[in-house]
Amino acid sequence: MTDRPPDLIKFLGTAGARFVVARQLRSSAGTFVRLSGKNIVLDPGPGTLVRLAKSKPAIDVAELDAIIVSHLHIDHSNDVNVLIDAMTSGGLSKRGLLYAPRECLEGEDYVVLKYLRGFLDKIAVLEPRRTYSFDGVSFTTSAPHDHGVETYGLSFDRGGQKISFLVDTRYFQGLLDSYAGSDLLIVNLVRLNPHESGAVLHLCVDDVRRILAAVRPRKAVLTHFGMTMIRAKPWVVAQQLGDELGIEVVAASDGMALHLD
Ligand SMILES: [Zn+2]
């Protein structure tokens, strides 16, 4: 027996896109993932530090082990610097890992402050379709997403169970390969309907239906909702998709915890 804390995913925030984030109609904090006793934050959007501290039970930022940033957009990266500072006690204890696409580190709009970088044990550059491991945690990046900036989703390998985070992207066929075999698929579903222009680089309900029908995960969780999704009530959309496809689909809510054991 070990007293290792149970594996879980906690949705600190479920907001996507500008209006929902700007008005904080839902929290724009990122997602907390605990696997193999390691504490990971994925996509630390605005409010992540606050939501970690106010989480019940509170999540001690000084005990974070890794931060993963899928892309540099502000609703995914805003709190990365304050989290690096907090998890290293302002640099007094050199520790922790950061995973991010090169663009977040070296691009014109790099988002990780340079003076903080040396506080970390290691910064690993995310590249497409690569596997990364640390301390018993392993994940593989997706093909590059179609999102205007360098973006990767990822799939954790939890002892053969594939737990995937399909982050921001426009729909393309290659998504089906990257996320094939997912047992649990968490999808950023920003829009209810496709945008007339076709130029919006986010998934809508029709896209997600297509993905879920092909991947057929054991469970799907919808999150990262824009205004049209909020108005349509995400739990209603989830129920309809689930009924149509015959798989369990739930809509995340702020603070929702998914226990993996
Ligand atoms: Zn984005």
Side-chain angles (χ1 to χ4, degrees):
M1 269 309 280
T2 142
D3 54 1
R4 204 176 78 187
D7 288 358
L8 66 81
I9 296 170
K10 184 156 188 175
F11 297 86
L12 302 170
T14 56
R18 52 189 68 89
F19 299 115
V20 181
V21 174
R23 296 179 200 150
Q24 290 291 295
L25 299 176
R26 286 194 177 209
S27 162
S28 54
T31 304
F32 175 73
V33 181
R34 193 197 292 124
L35 290 175
S36 303
K38 297 294 149 191
N39 300 317
I40 304 156
V41 166
L42 172 65
D43 283 347
T48 301
L49 179 66
V50 173
R51 288 285 166 154
L52 285 168
K54 302 218 159 151
S55 180
K56 284 189 181 126
I59 298 166
D60 186 351
V61 195
E63 288 181 5
L64 287 186
D65 297 290
I67 303 168
I68 305 173
V69 179
S70 69
H71 65 293
L72 61 73
H73 284 157
I74 196 156
D75 52 330
H76 297 255
S77 70
N78 186 79
D79 274 17
V80 67
N81 290 300
V82 75
L83 287 193
I84 294 171
D85 192 72
M87 78 194 278
T88 62
S89 306
L92 289 176
S93 86
K94 187 179 168 77
R95 57 183 297 281
L97 299 161
L98 170 67
Y99 296 91
R102 191 171 298 283
E103 197 176 36
C104 289
L105 302 163
E106 296 171 18
E108 195 178 336
D109 277 335
Y110 71 84
V111 293
V112 183
L113 290 173
K114 292 187 177 170
Y115 85 92
L116 295 170
R117 297 182 187 189
F119 293 7
L120 294 159
D121 252 349
K122 191 176 154 194
I123 298 177
V125 174
L126 292 180
E127 288 168 352
R129 305 181 195 88
R130 253 192 70 186
T131 298
Y132 300 81
S133 301
F134 70 95
D135 294 344
V137 175
S138 176
F139 67 90
T140 303
T141 49
S142 68
H145 280 193
D146 182 3
H147 193 51
V149 298
E150 190 182 4
T151 306
Y152 307 107
L154 52 105
S155 301
F156 289 99
D157 178 358
R158 182 176 180 264
Q161 186 189 25
K162 185 170 177 177
I163 300 174
S164 300
F165 288 85
L166 199 171
V167 300
D168 295 0
T169 186
R170 176 158 58 189
Y171 180 84
F172 64 100
Q173 189 75 24
L175 290 172
L176 306 183
D177 294 330
S178 282
Y179 297 97
S182 297
D183 299 288
L184 172 60
L185 181 60
I186 294 129
V187 191
N188 286 8
L189 172 48
V190 175
R191 297 187 54 82
L192 182 64
N193 297 308
H195 196 263
E196 316 78 65
S197 71
V200 169
L201 303 174
H202 280 296
L203 298 176
C204 67
V205 173
D206 287 347
D207 299 325
V208 171
R209 181 184 293 107
R210 211 159 15 149
I211 293 165
L212 295 184
V215 175
R216 298 203 64 81
R218 275 197 303 173
K219 178 170 183 155
V221 180
L222 314 177
T223 186
H224 210 61
F225 305 119
M227 202 62 210
T228 54
M229 276 299 298
I230 299 284
R231 285 204 194 97
K233 302 188 175 76
W235 58 94
V236 172
V237 175
Q239 178 80 51
Q240 280 167 355
L241 279 174
D243 290 349
E244 277 174 46
L245 298 167
I247 51 181
E248 187 185 0
V249 183
V250 297
S253 53
D254 290 354
M256 184 178 100
L258 219 57
H259 293 269
L260 302 174
D261 291 315

